[in-house]
Structures are given as structure tokens and as C-alpha cells.
Amino acid sequence: MTSATAAGGVTPPAAPKSRKSVTGTRRIVAALFLLPAIVLLGALVVYPIGYSVVRSFYDQSGDGFAGVDNYKALFTDEGIRTALKNNVFWVVFAPTVATALGLIFAVLTERVRWGTAFKLVVFMPMAISMLAAGIIFRLVYDQDPDKGVANAVWVGVHDTFAQSSAFPKAHPGRESPLEPAGGGAFITKSPVRAGEPVSLPLVGVAPDLMPDDAKPAAAPKPEPGKVTGTAWQDFTRGKGVGTLNSVDASELGYAGMRVEAVKDGRVVASTTAGDDGAFTLPASADGAQLRLPDSNFKEPYNGLDWLGPSLVTPAIIGAYIWMWAGFAMVLIAAGLAGVPRELLEAARVDGATEWQVFRRVTVPLLAPVLAVVTVTLMINVLKIFDLVFIIAPGSAQDDANVLALELYRKGFSEDQPGIASAISVFLLLLVIPVMWFNVRRLRREVRR
């Protein structure tokens, strides 16, 4: 026992020891290992952010102080306002739809034996870069149905219910008995009579573009008490070959051509020409004029203009959902695997339907996971650039504009680094609250 202890009975404080982390590593050693990462973080993240904030208060040259003028441009420049509006549209719809699809896929794949294969297929687009996905969907949305998958499907569905015309370029030739009737229709110059065959010659369709079911035209033959005739392509290749307004051996009939008998502006009879162009109308057509309605000559339906001004943003969002729905599905499926099955079974035993189990048990239990997925996707879409830049054609890029693309255009194409820096700071301010919400939720989950 020392004298100090004997005198006062108090043990002197021990010398301070170097504190260690949970893993037993000294703090100074941990700091040395973290130093390279801190330096890189400062050089690649902190410094660029600080420089952008400072640069956003200077003019185009960087020499004159502009104050908040660059920030005012965020709400006065037409291009930036369009980009801001589109970003709101992106934030509202893209994460919501992708998360909803991910939830549906995750729940349904639990009930099928080939669920793992389905998950692999849905998740596979995540392995594709944004550049490659943009190129793929630029082709998918091509206006030409022979190239674009979207329009090929759309035109196929449309033509199932509303057949397009096979003769969009057809029109009367020289010395034809037909004349324009307005609105793209044609009508005979004089009334027709029963028992007298009628010739309706047309030109304007190349022989190789005629329908596959078209047959050699049949010369019109008279029938007592009926109006008969033929509508055909009055054209034969070769100079001086064929007789004008007469059916020649190599000429094809207009298969499916609709013919109407009109009296005093009213349709009294109608029919459709056969494969050889021949048609027959009842006796009620006697004394009427024959009209070829405009439906015979409409341009073929060419689908939707997916990359036009009105649809370009939803179309690009569709490409984004195709890529990120798999990401949402995998995270939600992982959360679903941790849901206690006893709760689901108890709800079913109590008489709940599958929809009620899903809505009142599964979704509430998955709420933390759904929130994390949605917020993560919100952060992602605030920075969306690649898909918009690649998919939107030059004519529609202004309509599909987003803040990240406008930042690129102001900074590199229009040489306005001050405004570009203001946009980048504004984007950072938009992302911070969402990141803060996500971090708080993750910490709350860890404490549980």
C-alpha cells in the first residue's frame, strides 16, 4: 500500500489508455486507413460541390459577380421551366409505377415454381447500361411499324378492328367517268342505269403495291335489273401498251373497293368489289351516281408518334421502368422473405381473402421496404440524363428536357457555366431532403 493510499485512502487515477474501436483497432490506425478515402472524397465530391456553389454566383465569364441572377434564370428561362416540370412528372410517376410493378412481381413470383427464372428475366435489364437501353428503346419507338416494335404492335391491334385502305394513292386517270366529290371521295359524272355495265378506272397505285389477293380485273358484264361494274387499276407497264378506260389482261382489280349508290345525297345501296374488282348493286341503284367513299383512299395507319412532343416523356419513363422494375422487385422480394408467415396464415384462417391479406397485412409489413425503394428511385430519377439524351430525337428533346440534361446543355452547348452551376446546386438541394429522409428511416430500422 502506497503512502498516498495510506494517508488518504484514495487510489490515484490510472494513466489514460489509447481508445480502441469495437473491433479492437486503435483510432489513429483507423484514421490512417480512412485517410486515402477522405482525400478522394474531398477531391471528387466536396471540392466540386463547393466550387459549383461559388461559380453559381458569377457571370458567364466567371469574372463578374452576378448575385442571384443565375438562380432567377431557373424560374424564368423557358427551357429550365420545361425541364423542372418534366422532373416533377418523373418524380411522381416513375418511382411509383416501378415500385408498384416490383411489388406485384415479388408477390406473384412467390406462388409459381418458375418464380426464380421470372425474377432473373425481369432483373436482367439492370445489367444493361443506360446507353444501351437508350439505343434499344430508340429503335422500339421508331415511327415506322416495320422497324419499331411499339408501333408494329399498335398498328396490328388497330388494323384488327379498323382495316386500313390498300389504295391510298389511287385517283381517276385521263378521260375518267369519275370526278372528285370532296373529302377525298370520287363520284361518277352521270347517273348509272340498270343493265348497263359501269367502268370505274383508277390509277396511282404501282402494280407491285397492289394487295396480294388482287386478281386480274374482270370486264364488266350486264345483268338485267342490276347495276354491275368493275373498279380496277387502269395501267399496264410499257409505252403504248393497254387501252385507256378498258380492262386489259395484265391489269388488276381493286379488291375490297367500297362502292355506294347515291341519290339526292343519300346512300340507297352499297357493295364491296370482289378480288377481280367486279361489283353488283341492286335495282335500287338505278338512276343513282356511284361514289367511291374516302375510306377507300385513306393513308395506312402508321401508329403513334411515340417520340413526338406529347408522348416523348411518358415513352422514356416506360424505358426507365423497364430497367428499374427488376431492382424494385428484388429488394421487395427480400423484404417479403422476412415477413412472418404465421401472420398471413392467421389472416386467412380468420376468413380474409387474398386481396385483403395483401392489402391489410402484406403491404403494411412491407411499408419500410417500399419506402426505401421509392425514395431510392426518386433520388435516381432526379438525376436522370442518359435515357432522355439518347431516346429523345433532336426535334423533341426540348419537350423531353430534364434538369440534368439542361445542366449539360447550358454548361457545354450554350457555354453558360454560371447557370449550369446554379442548376447543379438546385438539383443538390432537391436531393438532400430525400436522402435525409432515407437515412433517417434506415437508422430507425437499425435501432429496431
Side-chain angles (χ1 to χ4, degrees):
M1 182 180 292
T2 63
S3 58
T5 304
V10 178
T11 305
K17 296 182 180 180
S18 59
R19 300 183 66 180
K20 295 184 179 181
S21 67
V22 176
T23 59
T25 307
R26 295 177 183 273
R27 283 196 171 188
I28 189 169
V29 176
L32 288 174
F33 275 100
L34 289 174
L35 184 62
I38 294 173
V39 171
L40 287 175
L41 188 66
L44 299 179
V45 178
V46 178
Y47 172 75
I49 290 176
Y51 180 81
S52 295
V53 172
V54 173
R55 186 66 180 84
S56 67
F57 292 103
Y58 284 82
D59 59 13
Q60 182 174 348
S61 65
D63 299 325
F65 185 73
V68 295
D69 289 348
N70 292 328
Y71 289 94
K72 289 180 180 178
L74 298 180
F75 305 97
T76 57
D77 185 276
E78 189 64 31
I80 300 177
R81 289 170 62 183
T82 301
L84 185 58
K85 180 186 68 176
N86 286 339
N87 262 103
V88 172
F89 192 82
W90 270 88
V91 169
V92 170
F93 288 99
T96 304
V97 176
T99 304
L101 285 177
L103 174 62
I104 294 170
F105 292 156
V107 172
L108 293 182
T109 50
E110 276 206 332
R111 298 175 173 273
V112 292
R113 286 185 299 176
W114 39 269
T116 303
F118 180 83
K119 288 179 183 177
L120 179 63
V121 171
V122 175
F123 188 75
M124 195 176 295
M126 283 294 297
I128 303 174
S129 68
M130 286 281 195
L131 173 64
I135 294 173
I136 290 171
F137 275 88
R138 183 66 181 267
L139 296 174
V140 168
Y141 292 132
D142 195 286
Q143 180 68 45
D144 187 353
D146 293 331
K147 298 178 182 177
V149 175
N151 263 342
V153 174
W154 191 265
V155 170
V157 173
H158 174 273
D159 289 350
T160 301
F161 300 98
Q163 188 65 38
S164 298
S165 169
F167 322 110
K169 304 295 183 183
H171 59 85
R174 293 181 293 112
E175 303 176 15
S176 174
L178 293 166
E179 62 182 3
F186 301 103
I187 195 169
T188 54
K189 297 176 182 177
S190 57
V192 297
R193 296 297 174 187
E196 297 178 6
V198 183
S199 295
L200 302 179
L202 295 164
V203 295
V205 181
D208 53 344
L209 296 180
M210 291 291 286
D212 296 335
D213 56 353
K215 296 180 179 179
K221 298 178 181 179
E223 287 189 31
K226 294 182 180 180
V227 175
T228 58
T230 300
W232 82 100
Q233 173 73 2
D234 190 22
F235 174 79
T236 303
R237 280 198 172 104
K239 188 176 180 180
V241 179
T243 305
L244 186 65
N245 294 334
S246 295
V247 177
D248 296 309
S250 61
E251 295 171 350
L252 298 174
Y254 278 128
M257 178 72 73
R258 184 168 179 76
V259 183
E260 297 175 342
V262 181
K263 287 182 181 179
D264 301 323
R266 185 170 57 90
V267 177
V268 296
S270 63
T271 188
T272 301
D275 293 345
D276 57 1
F279 61 86
T280 302
L281 289 164
S284 58
D286 183 50
Q289 289 177 279
L290 300 189
R291 181 175 65 187
L292 303 180
D294 61 333
S295 59
N296 291 314
F297 311 106
K298 285 183 178 179
E299 292 285 343
Y301 183 67
N302 205 36
L304 295 175
D305 188 7
W306 296 101
L307 299 182
S310 58
L311 290 177
V312 62
T313 295
I316 299 173
I317 289 177
Y320 176 89
I321 292 171
W322 175 78
M323 290 192 67
W324 287 88
F327 167 82
M329 177 194 67
V330 170
L331 291 187
I332 295 170
L336 191 61
V339 172
R341 302 301 168 188
E342 303 82 29
L343 296 177
L344 303 181
E345 292 302 324
R348 293 188 182 101
V349 170
D350 289 341
T353 64
E354 289 300 322
W355 168 246
Q356 290 173 326
V357 171
F358 173 75
R359 186 165 58 93
R360 297 181 179 275
V361 181
T362 305
V363 172
L365 290 174
L366 288 176
V369 178
L370 295 176
V372 170
V373 172
T374 303
V375 171
T376 303
L377 292 179
M378 287 173 65
I379 296 172
N380 188 269
V381 298
L382 281 171
K383 304 178 294 179
I384 193 70
F385 167 79
D386 318 60
L387 288 179
V388 180
F389 183 73
I390 297 166
I391 295 177
S395 59
Q397 204 165 81
D398 288 342
D399 301 286
N401 201 8
V402 290
L403 287 174
L405 177 59
E406 186 65 16
L407 187 157
Y408 169 81
R409 294 167 72 173
K410 294 293 185 189
F412 297 97
S413 300
E414 302 177 19
D415 192 25
Q416 299 186 46
I419 296 179
S421 298
I423 295 174
S424 66
V425 174
F426 183 65
L427 267 176
L428 178 64
L429 294 176
L430 291 177
V431 170
I432 286 176
V434 183
M435 292 180 63
W436 176 78
F437 174 82
N438 216 12
V439 170
R440 278 196 63 190
R441 178 169 286 278
L442 288 173
R443 284 180 176 175
R444 195 180 303 125
E445 291 300 318
V446 169
R447 292 193 188 113
R448 288 179 184 177

